[in-house]
Amino acid sequence: MGLLRNSLCAMALSLFATSPGNSATLVEPTLHLKPQAAEGGGRVALTLDACGGKTDTRILSALVDNRIPATIFVTGIWLKHNAAAVEIMRAHPDLFELENHGGRHIPAVDTPRKIYGISSAGSPDAVQAEVESGAAALASAGGPAPKWFRGATAEYSPSAIAMIRKLGFKIAGFSVNGDGGSLLGAKETARRIGAAKDGDVIIAHINQPSHAAGEGVVQGLLALKQKGMTFVRLDDADDIGNDGTTE
């Protein structure tokens, strides 16, 4: 069961698509930062999902050592088993913003279906429970209350988006899929992240320490830093999301 659970997040943003019948009415929101008017390399937001499993200390150490801010989307599952990583993040409030990835890493889709092989919440009540249990887990871990939500698989039913917004959360889409659900190799991951432009919101994963993608995440981030790119957390920038996710 542990191995299966750890693999679910890796599947969630893989390169493989769901069947047309399963994906026709779902939304995968995008998110951008407002472009930076000043000169320089521009701004990007790094968002990292911690779905379950362990912590990729290669990424965490690189963020701390290189002073790279990041927004970390954590599940209740991950919080239970990664107290040491949470302590490091809480010790650097200028770098890390912890946000809601759900209580049990269940897709925020309010009809029964499978998304990337993962069963959806399946009802409005179950979507609400997933969102609220994730927020409660973060509250129990201490620190500020979350303002953002990202569901498992990053796909939503439109009605679930409306519900999540009514619960008071912005929904975090992205514009650069950095690691393909942590299933890409180091070279391709580094290429994707290193190619990010001003205003991009990057998604990658920090919960798969045995995957080659983690090495690529570090390489890509350092390449962006060398180019003069500024990293910001979601709460520190003006965001533009589609499909009613932020407005």
Side-chain angles (χ1 to χ4, degrees):
M1 282 297 294
L3 181 59
L4 175 61
R5 177 184 294 168
N6 292 351
S7 69
L8 290 180
C9 194
M11 295 168 59
L13 287 164
S14 71
L15 298 179
F16 303 101
T18 56
S19 67
N22 256 9
S23 62
T25 62
L26 299 186
V27 175
E28 184 180 87
T30 60
L31 184 67
H32 290 86
L33 310 178
K34 289 185 178 179
Q36 189 178 37
E39 295 182 3
R43 301 183 306 165
V44 296
L46 172 64
T47 68
L48 295 169
D49 288 0
C51 312
K54 300 181 180 180
T55 302
D56 192 331
T57 55
R58 296 170 297 181
I59 299 174
L60 183 57
S61 296
L63 297 178
V64 173
D65 292 346
N66 292 278
R67 309 296 300 165
I68 296 175
T71 302
I72 316 293
F73 284 89
V74 301
T75 67
I77 296 169
W78 185 86
L79 284 170
K80 287 181 181 178
H81 303 289
N82 292 274
V86 174
E87 185 175 351
I88 292 171
M89 293 175 186
R90 293 297 193 203
H92 297 278
D94 55 327
L95 296 181
F96 299 109
E97 170 190 339
L98 271 61
E99 297 292 350
N100 186 358
H101 198 31
R104 297 189 295 144
H105 197 251
I106 298 172
V109 174
D110 53 14
T111 55
R113 62 198 302 167
K114 292 275 185 84
I115 303 99
Y116 301 105
I118 307 176
S119 296
S120 67
S123 71
D125 287 346
V127 171
Q128 183 171 342
E130 172 71 358
V131 176
E132 291 183 338
S133 62
L138 271 165
S140 297
K147 300 176 183 176
W148 289 85
F149 177 80
R150 174 180 286 154
T153 76
E155 294 199 4
Y156 310 81
S157 51
S159 49
I161 289 175
M163 175 189 296
I164 295 164
R165 295 291 289 123
K166 286 181 180 178
L167 291 173
F169 293 94
K170 292 183 178 182
I171 297 173
F174 57 92
S175 60
V176 174
N177 184 343
D179 64 357
S182 84
L183 295 179
L184 294 176
K187 184 176 181 180
E188 176 61 13
T189 298
R191 185 195 68 78
R192 288 189 178 197
I193 293 176
K197 303 273 193 295
D198 181 30
D200 273 330
V201 175
I202 302 165
I203 185 175
H205 292 77
I206 195 170
N207 68 307
Q208 296 289 354
S210 65
H211 289 195
E215 178 185 346
V217 170
V218 173
Q219 292 172 354
L221 294 176
L222 294 182
L224 287 176
K225 184 177 181 182
Q226 188 172 15
K227 291 178 184 178
M229 196 70 75
T230 299
F231 295 89
V232 297
R233 303 175 304 182
L234 291 185
D235 266 357
D236 296 332
D238 294 325
D239 314 281
I240 306 169
N242 63 349
D243 297 298
T245 51
T246 63
E247 303 265 329

